[in-house]
Every structure is written in C-alpha cells, then in structure tokens.
Amino acid sequence: MDIGVCYYPEHWPEARWAADAALMRETGLTRVRIGEFAWSRIEPEPGRFDWGWLDRAVETLHAAGLGIIMGTPTATPPKWLVDRMPDMVALDRDGRPRGFGSRRHYCFSHVGYREEAARITRAIVERYGRHPGVVSWQTDNEYGCHDTVQSFSPAARDAFRIWLAARYGSVEALNEAWGNVFWSMEYRSFDEVDLPNLTVTEANPAHWLAFRRFSSDQVVRFNRVQVDILRELSPGRDITHNAMGFYTGYDHHDLAADLDVLGWDSYPLGFLEMFRFSEEEKRKYSRQGHPDIAAFHHDLYRGCAKNGRWSVLEQQPGPVNWARHNPAPLPGMVRLWTLEAFAHGAELVSYFRWRQFPKAQEQMHAGLLRPDATPAPALAEARMAADDLARIGDAGEAPKQAALVFAYDAEWMTQIQPQGEGRSALWAAFAAYSSLRRLGLNVDIVSPSASLDGYALVVVPCLPIVPDELVAKLAASEAQVVIGPRTGTRDLDFGIPDALLHEGLAEFIGGRVVRSESLSDRLVMAGDGWEARGWLDHYKGEAVPEMVAKGGETVALRHGRAWIAAAWPQGSFLDTLVQRAANAAGLEAEPLPEGIRRRRRGDTLFEFDYNAGEVRFER
C-alpha cells in the first residue's frame, strides 16, 4: 500500500516546494495529490493559461520521487466562468441559486458547464497526460458534497423530462407506473412533468425516486465525459474519484464502473460528531471515532469498486474544521486508521493535508505540518505507519465469511418514505455491519448483483426492491441468510407488489408479511438479554418463531436457512439474531470486548483497539 498526502503548491511560496517534497519522501510518502481546486490559477482569464507554476510544481515533486495524482479542477469553476454563464449554478430545493463564493457551484445537468468541464480537462490532460510523474488522475472532487447532486434548475427539469421519456417510453406508461390517477396527478405529456420540489405536501414517492435515479445518472454522465478524455490522452494511468462518508446522493456502483480505483475521504472524528451516533458513543469515542465508521466505508467502497480496487484519498490527520465539535485524535489513532485501511485492502492512504492553510474556510483544518511548516503530531505517525507497512509486506487475501447486501436505491426509498422516523436502509446496514464486526467476522458489503459464492452468512438488512437474480442466488446458496424489514416490499416504481412481497422471496422465507407497524423507540419489546424496537412485521406462513418478546410479540422467525427479522435491525436484538445465524453457519462468532475489532488477511490477524484506556482480554 502506498502512503501519500494532499498538497496545494499554489498555496505556498515556490521556494518551499522542494523542501516540502524532500520531507514527504523522508516521511515515507510515495504519492502526492494535487490540482483539484486550481482552475483559477491554471486559467486566470478565459482562454489564457498559466502553466509555468504547475509545470515547475510537477517537476519538483517528480524529481523527489513522488508519484503525482492529478485532479481535474471542475469542482471549483472560476468567477469569470460563472459571470459568463450565470445559469450554470444549481438551484436548491427552495429554488434559490447556489452561487459563487465557496465550491461545487454548478448543476450537473447544465450542458454549457459540462462542455467547459470537458474543455479544461482536455487542456490539462494534453499538458500532463503522458508526463512520467503523473501516475493517476482524480476526476473533480467529492461529487455531492454540500448536498449538490440534486439541482432544481431549469436545466435539470429539461434533462429530467428527456430522461423520463427514455425510461418510460410513453407518458401513459409513466402515469400507470407512478399511480398518478391518485389525486388527479396524471400528465398528458412529458413536458408537463416538473421537478418534485415545491409541492404543497409530499410529492408522489415514485416521482421522487425517479428524480433520485435521474440525479445519480447525471453525476455518472458528467464524470464519464472526463473519464473518456483521460483514457484517450493519458493511457495506462489509473482514474479515481473521492467519495464521502455516509453519503448516498448517487449510486457509487454506477460511478465506480467507469473508474479503475474508487477512493473515499475518511474523517472518523468528524463523522462521529456529525452523524446519528448516540451521546454515549460520541463521548466514549470522541478522539478515536466509532470503531466501525472507517471500516464500514472501506468495505462499502471495496464492494462498489470495479475489481475491488479502492483507496483512501483523504485521511483525517488531526482536528477538522467542519464538524459541530472538532477534537484532536488520541496519539496513535492516525497510525491505527492507516493500518486498518491496509487490513481492509486499500491501495493508498493519502493524508489531508500536508500543511494547514492559515486563511479561508479551512484554516482550522489540521495537516501533517502546522501553518508555520513545523511538524504536527500526525507527521510522526505517518512515518511509523510507513515503517509498519514495510515490515508487514503482503498480508494476503481476506477470507470470505459474511456478506452484507446494500443498494443505494434502498436508502433513497427510506429517505423518501421512511414510514417510521429514522428507519433508514443505510443505517440498518451500518447496524448490521457493527453487529457482524463485534463478532470478529470479516464483512464484505456487496450489491444485489454481486456473487454470493463462498459466504457462510448473508445479511440483507433492508432492501425494498429485491431483484429476481438476488432471490435466485439466495435460493442457490448454502449460506444462512438474515432478512430485515421492508425487504422485497416494493417494485421498481415504488409500488406494493400484488402479493405484498416479491413472490420468489416469499417462497424463500416460507410466507409473507401481512402487516407492518412502525413503532416509536419508546415501545420496547424485551426478551432474554435483548431488546427490540422500531418496527414490527406481522408474518403469515411456515416459518417458526425464533425470538419472542415477553409481551408475546414475535420479533424474529426462521424458515430453513432464512432468518427473518420482524423488528428493526439494530441493537441487542440484531446482535442476538446475527450471532445465532452465524453459529448456524459454522462461523466462529463470539462477541469481542468493547471497542476491539478484528480483520483477517491471509495468515495475518489484525486487531484494532478503539478504547481510550487499557483493555485486557484473552484471545
């Protein structure tokens, strides 16, 4: 695995570049990521390029022995371009322009901006596409950051209508698929279809789902334009992009299909603070990050990536600037996060950033160096991690144990129609992942189209749309299969199937769900050493009760290899159910001590301690 850093030579005096590059190599870094925000310096005036500074930066970094990951600068179009083409900016859900003054101020559907993005990409690749120092390319930066996938602009509306016509063929087919007879929502032509925002009450969930799919496709289309240019002009070099944590605005499987390596940006402390973790978890892991945050995304993006190739393009090295609170990691955590990425198969960990910039929006975001260029604490940990990796060498392949099935449209559907507050497919997947990890199991997060060969245990936490091919694979598999609520309960256009459940899935579980209740977390269904809450499916069929609460509610059932979760998959209920299924699968699955996680690669067992204090236990 390579170790690298994100560097912005345009931020610093040129006289400093060679010293920076030398210190990077001395620290054990082999890759440097540059250029993704530099459009205004590359092209300060329309059509006038200033390549001199970037030429010298590339030569300086290359001469030091660093492989360069060059970014296309399309996440930050310059002011002169916005002024020339003011309708290129996205509109938010309330119809307000998302204007210049920060970043990501463009609409994916704007044809003119897509052409400008292609033009600047081509110019940069013509300049550096065959330079021996440029070993990889990154497209844009963090698609969707700051909630920018969905745009409610006229450009998006017009493109959406074209997309709908291609998908449905006729407006009559769209009306039927969406159930538009309800509330007299029928259309006479595709030109009558508007975007689903600004309605009096909730818009048709099928309308929203179509718009979510369209918006995701627009990201993929925008990215593909750049990928095609990079493949043409810079052959033999990997192409990547940096995805984000807990972000589902577009389908990463679709984006990754056009990439060689899928990257993501790992900020365990920021994510702990900003997302839906309990106050106790935030207190206990405030300087370490929840033990499953980074690993979940490692395994998610490995499962999205073509041929399983993935990397960490930004790794938190210290306090960030964007969370509600921004603590520093405990000593040793930057090293741990680096080694954990390696244990999960990363090709690269790149720290963000080399040196803390003393101005603008991210001036409080730490780097490996302080603003005055003196070493920050993470610099030494990066050196230690590089030495650790040199000693470990090739750790071998990770054995298959448990597969967790996740699809992005599942999360879109539970966002559009949660039915119960907080009942999210993404967070059901995270809860299931944590349950599996607490048992010490290797977990692969896979799409519904992935092979299930070789897995002893398969968990499907929440998958409203179940493809026929997945049901066939489950039936053909010898694995124990845990199936959570809402799975198989919707068709491709958000309708309830005639049989209330996907018919093949109903056969697999030996029955069907005849009624679903979403329950407040105040309503606790308690059993022997476990508690269930949040949801209750009422089942009719051949499956036998597996877990029954003291109040008489059947919260889990079993039919052959199928384990059916009737309560929401979370907490001690899920821990108990998953452990029973894992034991039935013949896996060694015993709860690890609190805060300890394991990962196996070949003959190497990695053990990671996320506790702030000392923990003693027997292996």
Side-chain angles (χ1 to χ4, degrees), residues 224-301:
R224 187 173 296 148
V225 170
Q226 297 189 27
V227 168
D228 288 346
I229 295 169
L230 293 166
R231 298 239 184 265
E232 173 194 353
L233 298 176
S234 189
R237 290 159 177 83
D238 286 336
I239 302 172
T240 188
H241 179 77
N242 54 329
M244 296 181 294
F246 296 116
Y247 185 74
T248 57
Y250 63 91
D251 192 321
H252 294 76
H253 298 100
D254 292 342
L255 186 86
D258 290 329
L259 304 173
D260 301 297
V261 183
L262 180 59
W264 83 282
D265 295 346
S266 177
Y267 293 93
L269 304 189
F271 296 153
L272 175 72
E273 180 60 38
M274 295 302 291
F275 290 101
R276 50 191 288 179
F277 295 94
S278 70
E279 289 304 312
E280 172 61 19
E281 288 170 323
K282 290 180 180 181
R283 182 198 63 78
K284 183 170 185 175
Y285 297 116
S286 63
R287 295 186 183 276
Q288 307 98 289
H290 186 285
D292 300 315
I293 286 176
F296 174 80
H297 291 92
H298 297 338
D299 293 334
L300 171 65
Y301 290 131

Side-chain angles (χ1 to χ4, degrees), residues 59 64 80 93 139 226 343 365 390 411 431 439-440 486 496 510 539 591:
E59 291 300 333
W80 58 258
R93 193 163 174 160
T139 57
Q226 297 189 27
H365 196 303
E411 175 62 4
L439 293 172
R486 303 186 73 162
I496 297 173
Y539 171 92

Side-chain angles (χ1 to χ4, degrees), residues 23 27 317-319 334 353-356 365-384:
L23 184 55
T27 304
V334 173
R353 56 196 303 158
W354 176 244
R355 181 175 171 185
Q356 185 176 347
H365 196 303
L368 298 184
L369 301 185
R370 297 187 178 95
D372 64 354
T374 59
L379 186 72
E381 291 196 33
R383 174 72 266 179
M384 287 188 285

Side-chain angles (χ1 to χ4, degrees), residues 81 102 134 206 240 252 391 418 443 471 488 515 578 583 617:
L81 181 55
S102 57
V134 175
T240 188
H252 294 76
R391 285 192 297 269
V443 187
V471 174
R515 185 177 67 182
V578 165
N583 290 337
F617 63 96

Side-chain angles (χ1 to χ4, degrees), residues 42-43 153 155 201 217 221 277 339 371 411 418 470 490 504 537 550 563 592 594:
I42 293 170
E43 190 181 16
S153 67
T201 184
D217 285 354
R221 180 181 181 185
F277 295 94
L339 295 175
E411 175 62 4
L470 175 59
R490 293 295 185 271
D537 278 340
K550 295 173 183 177
W563 303 70
L592 294 170
E594 182 69 25

